[in-house]
Amino acid sequence: MLTKPLSAITKNTMQACGVTADLDHDGGMQVVSPVTGEVVATLAVDDAAATEAAIGKARAAFRDWRMVPAPRRGELVRLFAEELRKSKEDLGRMVSIEAGKSPSEGLGEVQEMIDICDFAVGLSRQLYGLTIATERPGHRMMETWHPLGVVGIITAFNFPCAPWCWNSALALVCGDPVIWKPSEKTPLTALACQAVLDRALARFGDAPEGLSQVLVGGPEVGETLVESENVALISATGSTRMGRIVGPKVAARFGKCILELGGNNAGIVCPSADMDMALRAIAFGAMGTAGQRCTTMRRLFVHESVYDQIVPALVKAYGSVTVGNPLETSALVGPLIDKAAFDGMGAALEEAKALGGTVHGGTRADVEGNGYYVHPALVEMPVHDGPVLRETFAPILYVMKYADFDTVLEDHNAVGGGLSSSIFTTDLREMETFLSARGSDCGIANVNIGTSGAEIGGAFGGEKETGGGRESGSDAWRAYMRRATNTINYSRELPLAQGVVFDI
C-alpha cells in the first residue's frame, strides 16, 4: 500500500525534479492519475494569447540560437542528458503516475530520452551536406543545411516525454527553439522535463530566453500552434483523426509537418518460427503498456500448421499475466488511461463476438481504487474484418489462421495504419520477402522480434494513415532544417547548364 496519498507523492516527485509551478491552482485543469482515479494536481491553463506570446519569445530566441555553432548547441543537450540521469527515478515515477506504466517502462521511457540526447550530441558535429558534381567547368556545387525556425511539438498521453525529447534534442542541435503542448492527460511529466532542462540551461549559461517552453492547455493551444505562420514545423503525435485535422491546416500555410499517428500493427507466425521466442515477443508486444502503444501488436496471423501449438500457449499466458497498480505491485499490466478507453475496448470486443470471435480475457480486473484495469484480451477471429481493421487503443490481440504466404501478406497490409510489423520465421525466403517491396508496407518491419520496442538509432514512423513522419535517429534531423543548394563560380567564364547559350 502507498504510505502517502498519491497527490502528495506527486507533489514530492515534482519538487524533486525542480518544478516550482502551482500544482493546486484554484479552478484550473485537473490532472487525474489512471492508477487510482485520484486528482493529483490542478494546473493553470494557457490560452491562445499565452500561446502567441510563447511563439513570439521563441522567434526572438531563434534569431540568436541559429547563430550559435552547432557543436556548442550540442553542449546544451549534453548537459541535459546529465540532468536527466540525475532525475531518472523521479521522472520515471511521474510517467507511472500519469500514464499508468510499470516502473520498468517508466524508467525505460526516460532512458530513451537520455539515449536520444547522446545521439543528438554526436549529431551536432555531423550536420553534413553534399558536394555535388557539376557539369560546368570552374564551378563547385554543394548543399548546406540551416536552422528552420520555431518547432511546435504536440504529444500524446501514452508516451508523455520520450517523443518530446526525440524532437527537442534534434531541434535544439539543429538550431531551432521548441514549444511543447503535452496531452491534457499528462502535463505534469512535461513540466518536470522542462524543469530538468532548465537546470541544464542554467549550467549552459548563455542560451536565449524562450528556447524551450511548455504550454498546458486544451485544443485552443494546439490550434494556435498549428495555424501560426511563425511556427515553421509542427511535430504531432496522436490519433489518425487528429492528423487529419493538423495536416491540412499546416499544409494550407505551407508549413512543414511531422505526423506520428495510429498503427494497426500485425505479426505473422510462420511454420518454421522459434515458437518460444515468438510467444514471448507477442506477449509483450500485445500486452505491454496495457496495449496503449502506437506500436502495440493488434493483429496476429498464425499458420494453420502451428496454430494449435502457439495459440493455446498464448491463451495460457494471457490468463496468467499480472494486472495491478504499478506503484504498489510488480504487475506487468497497468491501467487504461480512462473510462473512454475502457468503454472503447468493451465495444470492440462485443463487435468481435458478433462476427464469431472467441474472446479470452477482456474482463475488468479487481484492483483497489477507481482506475480502469482490464485483463488483456486475445480474440480468435474467423474473419479479418470489423474491429480487426481498426486501431482500438487497448490490450486486444486479434488472432487469425492463414494457409498461404502471399495471401497473408495482402491481409497484413489491408489496413489503414502502416507503422510497425513483424514476422517470426527462420525461412530465408519468407524473411526477405517480408522485407522486400512486396512485403510489409510499414515504416518498421522486424524479423523475429515484436512490433514494439524501437531503438532511437533508427528513424521512427510509418506510412499511410500513420502519417509518413520520421523522428529520432537516422537522417530524421533533416526535417528540422532547411536545405540550400549552392553553386560557386570561381572561373572567369559564365557557362550555363544544359548547354544553353545566352550571349549579349
Side-chain angles (χ1 to χ4, degrees):
M1 295 292 292
L2 296 175
T3 58
K4 296 180 180 179
L6 190 53
S7 57
I9 294 172
T10 299
K11 289 175 175 61
N12 289 343
T13 305
M14 294 289 280
Q15 185 177 21
C17 291
V19 174
T20 58
D22 180 9
L23 302 184
D24 294 301
H25 186 80
D26 186 31
M29 183 177 74
Q30 291 186 333
V31 182
V32 177
S33 171
V35 175
T36 62
E38 178 183 346
V39 175
V40 294
T42 308
L43 301 177
V45 176
D46 293 302
D47 57 13
T51 305
E52 290 288 1
I55 294 170
K57 287 183 181 178
R59 288 191 70 200
F62 176 62
R63 285 191 282 270
D64 292 335
W65 191 242
R66 64 185 174 180
M67 301 308 297
V68 176
R72 173 64 180 158
R73 301 193 296 250
E75 172 63 7
L76 171 59
V77 177
R78 187 190 70 80
L79 294 173
F80 182 37
E82 288 187 354
E83 296 298 335
L84 285 172
R85 287 178 169 89
K86 295 175 186 176
S87 295
K88 183 176 178 179
E89 294 289 334
D90 293 315
L91 286 173
R93 187 178 303 110
M94 280 311 309
V95 172
S96 294
I97 290 171
E98 275 202 306
K101 292 187 177 184
S102 69
S104 175
E105 289 187 276
L107 292 171
E109 184 166 351
V110 181
Q111 185 60 50
E112 200 165 349
M113 297 171 71
I114 295 168
D115 292 344
I116 193 63
C117 284
D118 289 348
F119 178 92
V121 173
L123 178 65
S124 68
R125 294 181 181 270
Q126 300 178 74
L127 301 175
Y128 299 141
L130 299 174
T131 298
I132 305 163
T134 173
E135 65 185 76
R136 288 172 284 187
H139 286 58
R140 179 164 64 88
M141 185 163 56
M142 62 182 184
E143 64 179 27
T144 52
W145 293 85
H146 301 295
L148 182 65
V150 178
V151 174
I153 304 170
I154 300 172
T155 58
F157 77 86
N158 59 318
F159 276 83
C161 55
W164 166 73
C165 205
W166 296 347
N167 284 276
S168 60
L170 298 191
L172 288 172
V173 300
C174 288
D176 305 326
V178 296
I179 302 174
W180 182 11
K181 185 219 170 290
S183 167
E184 298 97 305
K185 299 173 184 178
T186 54
L188 295 176
T189 303
L191 294 174
C193 288
Q194 182 61 51
V196 174
L197 177 54
D198 286 341
R199 296 205 305 262
L201 286 163
R203 292 174 60 191
F204 185 78
D206 58 354
E209 181 184 1
L211 189 59
S212 176
Q213 302 172 78
V214 174
L215 297 172
V216 174
E220 186 179 15
V221 173
E223 289 170 4
T224 304
L225 286 173
V226 165
E227 294 174 359
S228 174
E229 293 186 356
N230 293 317
V231 178
L233 171 68
I234 289 288
S235 178
T237 303
S239 67
T240 297
R241 181 192 64 81
M242 179 270 287
R244 293 190 194 280
I245 297 171
V246 171
K249 287 187 175 182
V250 177
R253 62 177 178 82
F254 298 103
K256 296 180 69 174
C257 208
I258 298 173
L259 295 177
E260 296 291 351
L261 311 175
N264 194 352
N265 316 296
I268 301 173
V269 180
C270 300
S272 66
D274 180 325
M275 295 301 162
D276 180 65
M277 178 188 293
L279 176 66
R280 288 182 284 125
I282 293 164
F284 173 71
M287 292 188 279
T289 322
Q292 298 171 125
R293 286 175 175 245
C294 53
T295 54
T296 291
M297 187 179 291
R298 308 197 181 280
R299 298 175 297 140
L300 183 67
F301 300 96
V302 182
H303 191 268
E304 58 187 9
S305 67
V306 294
Y307 189 92
D308 292 336
Q309 179 181 351
I310 195 166
V311 174
L314 277 171
V315 171
K316 182 178 179 180
Y318 268 66
S320 63
V321 71
T322 52
V323 180
N325 184 322
L327 301 176
E328 295 182 341
T329 71
S330 58
L332 296 176
V333 177
L336 293 174
I337 190 66
D338 55 21
K339 184 179 186 299
F342 176 78
D343 291 343
M345 179 176 178
L349 292 178
E350 289 302 315
E351 187 179 354
K353 289 177 186 177
L355 290 172
T358 301
V359 178
H360 306 273
T363 58
R364 189 164 184 176
D366 184 14
V367 178
E368 184 179 358
N370 295 318
Y372 290 90
Y373 292 82
V374 294
H375 295 285
L378 184 147
V379 186
E380 296 183 74
M381 289 294 292
V383 292
H384 186 244
D385 200 1
V388 183
L389 303 180
R390 304 189 304 270
E391 179 186 47
T392 301
F393 222 55
I396 303 174
L397 178 64
Y398 301 104
V399 184
M400 291 143 289
K401 190 180 295 186
Y402 83 91
D404 176 69
F405 188 66
D406 288 334
T407 301
V408 79
L409 285 180
E410 292 181 9
D411 287 341
H412 174 281
N413 294 342
V415 293
L419 179 54
S420 188
S421 59
S422 65
I423 188 171
F424 298 92
T425 182
T426 55
D427 184 312
L428 184 62
R429 290 189 178 91
E430 290 175 334
M431 181 187 309
E432 291 294 341
T433 300
F434 184 75
L435 300 179
S436 73
R438 75 179 185 92
S440 169
D441 63 357
C442 296
I444 299 170
N446 295 329
V447 176
N448 294 328
I449 63 171
T451 55
S452 59
E455 296 182 42
I456 59 90
F460 181 88
E463 301 303 320
K464 302 189 296 186
E465 291 181 2
T466 303
R470 292 298 186 276
E471 297 170 333
S472 195
S474 186
D475 64 349
W477 62 270
R478 296 186 177 201
Y480 306 87
M481 304 195 82
R482 60 178 179 85
R483 184 198 323 239
T485 299
N486 313 129
T487 304
I488 302 166
N489 180 2
Y490 57 91
S491 73
R492 296 182 182 277
E493 305 298 328
L494 192 63
L496 300 176
Q498 294 86 46
V500 174
V501 177
F502 189 79
D503 290 329
I504 57 174

